[in-house]
Amino acid sequence: MTALTPLRNIPQVNIFRKGDVFVLFGELFGRGYANGLVDEARKAGMTIYGITVGRRNEDGSLRALTDEELATAEANLGGKIFNVPLMAGFDLDAPAGTPTPTDMISEMTLKSWQTDTLDFTHIEKCREVGVRRFKDAVAKVMSELEGKIKDGSNVFFAHTMAGGIPKVKVFLAIANRIYKGRGERFQSSRTLVDSDLGRLILMNFNEVTANTFKYLIEGTAAIRSRMEKTGGQVRYTAYGYHGTEILIDGKYQWQTYTNYTQGQAKMLLEQNAEQAWAQGVKATVFNCPEIRTNSSDIFVGVELSLFPLLTALKQEGGGAWADAQWNACQSLLQPGNSLEDLLKRIEDYNVSDTMKTFRNYAAWPMDNTAALADLMIGTSDAITDMHVDRKALITDHLSALVLEGTGPLMFHEASAPASPVLWLNHDIIAKQLALIHSK
Ligand SMILES: NC(=O)c1ccc[n+]([C@@H]2O[C@H](COP(=O)([O-])OP(=O)(O)OC[C@H]3O[C@@H](n4cnc5c(N)ncnc54)[C@H](O)[C@@H]3O)[C@@H](O)[C@H]2O)c1
């Protein structure tokens, strides 16, 4: 188990400057965490490059982006994108003429999936095909990138990949029960983890969320070695999740969203960084707070831990700017609903016996329970109902702030990183935001 190692002081060093190279290893979406780092790279005058995961044809085969898709993605990133599909995972891979894992599970039904078995010898062969495809694609991208980096430059590789849920109808229905279900519709995450379907999905998470970081580090060994020999430095960052310290009962306390089914994969990501670090590579996983993005919207209640950030903003010296954030958030609530009442409700939720049970770092990632789902999803629904517009939520505002705070923290810490795994909790994010906005 990784020791809990939060970043406590705002990093000040910056080795990156004009002419240095920033590579985003994952696609950039509107609300995604990676925007924070891309903004910093742009401010530093770095040359920005990106990749694509590619797109699927109707028959499931992977293709590069069309000219139009590429132009849109490059405009969005503000940099050139290497148009080689870097879709990770093996859910649609298989030795020629044999079924893919997606084919194997597509016959499963809501009635049968818990007892349906899978041939893991075949699945392992599919995994090998997927890994080879991905590593070959990394090699192609890096040979294109190689020629674009001048000797002696500093290079920042920002990994942002996470995912791996296979696209089959039955899993959508299962996910709706595990992450959104209450009462009769509740499903324990344990039933998934104990099933063959769950075992396959966890293997795919490991590939997409964790091992892509390892393949990135391995696939850039030549660039790293050339830069280091010519006076440049190379850094790697990845976004982790392993719970977050937020203000509960007046103190910063570790808490987590449950069930975080990708938890094992995120711990493998941490181990991949630790192994690279032990070999002298400056690779750091930054465990970041829960925010609302394209990827996290499915987890109802994950956003609840964001609210105490408002209190942290005041506590960490946010001053008039913090007051303005409170006013902006208050204005999103219907008349008659106060932000103070909302925060009191969140505090009651966090100090409840049900939630306390899950503040167990050593046991992470714990299974969900019916009582947890009832409380968490119920609180989430009730708080959403307090808003004027369900599409303009306080948690959208707070997610954007967290993203803004993590950008400079990760960018500067990566210049002289203290360790391979660091937590960015609400305290340091609030301090960083207060610093940015007091200028
Ligand atoms: N949202 C949160 O609450 C939260 C909290 C802590 C850490 N993170 C991490 O931050 C990172 C970015 O996520 P985000 O929440 O900003 O969402 P996002 O949807 O913006 O980013 C997800 C990223 O994963 C990539 N991806 C998805 N499936 C892939 C596949 N099969 N192969 C290769 N790449 C794939 C996408 O291209 C994209 O870059 C992820 O590692 C995520 O786990 C998110």
Side-chain angles (χ1 to χ4, degrees), residues 26-27 29 32-33 88 160-162 239-240 266 288-291 293 295:
E27 293 194 356
F29 300 131
Y33 254 124
T160 173
M161 294 179 174
Y239 294 90
K266 284 296 188 194
C288 290
E290 305 79 358
I291 62 168
T293 65
S295 298

Side-chain angles (χ1 to χ4, degrees), residues 156-302:
F156 193 125
F157 289 103
H159 176 281
T160 173
M161 294 179 174
I165 293 179
K167 286 181 189 53
V168 284
K169 243 184 28 235
V170 71
F171 190 74
L172 262 183
I174 298 168
N176 274 333
R177 287 170 188 231
I178 292 181
Y179 305 116
K180 297 183 184 169
R182 279 193 287 165
E184 291 202 337
R185 289 186 55 78
F186 169 77
Q187 176 101 54
S188 162
S189 50
R190 177 53 38 190
T191 52
L192 176 66
V193 174
D194 281 346
S195 69
D196 273 12
L197 173 66
R199 203 175 138 200
L200 165 67
I201 291 175
L202 261 52
M203 277 174 75
N204 208 37
F205 286 165
N206 281 351
E207 283 306 324
V208 179
T209 300
N211 289 341
T212 48
F213 194 44
K214 187 165 84 179
Y215 306 145
L216 166 68
I217 294 170
E218 288 168 359
T220 50
I223 293 175
R224 195 165 63 243
S225 151
R226 178 164 67 88
M227 289 309 117
E228 286 170 356
K229 275 190 202 128
T230 54
Q233 300 189 51
V234 179
R235 298 290 190 265
Y236 300 86
T237 62
Y239 294 90
Y241 177 70
H242 200 153
T244 309
E245 289 175 1
I246 65 167
L247 279 173
I248 300 172
D249 196 19
K251 296 182 290 287
Y252 287 104
Q253 297 193 46
W254 182 89
Q255 56 75 54
T256 176
Y257 169 78
T258 299
N259 167 262
Y260 187 63
T261 319
Q262 297 222 357
Q264 299 294 344
K266 284 296 188 194
M267 287 195 280
L268 182 60
L269 176 71
E270 293 172 355
Q271 287 160 25
N272 286 338
E274 282 162 352
Q275 275 168 19
W277 186 275
Q279 286 161 16
V281 178
K282 293 276 180 277
T284 303
V285 169
F286 288 89
N287 287 329
C288 290
E290 305 79 358
I291 62 168
R292 296 193 49 236
T293 65
N294 290 2
S295 298
S296 67
D297 272 354
I298 179 181
F299 307 119
V300 179
V302 70

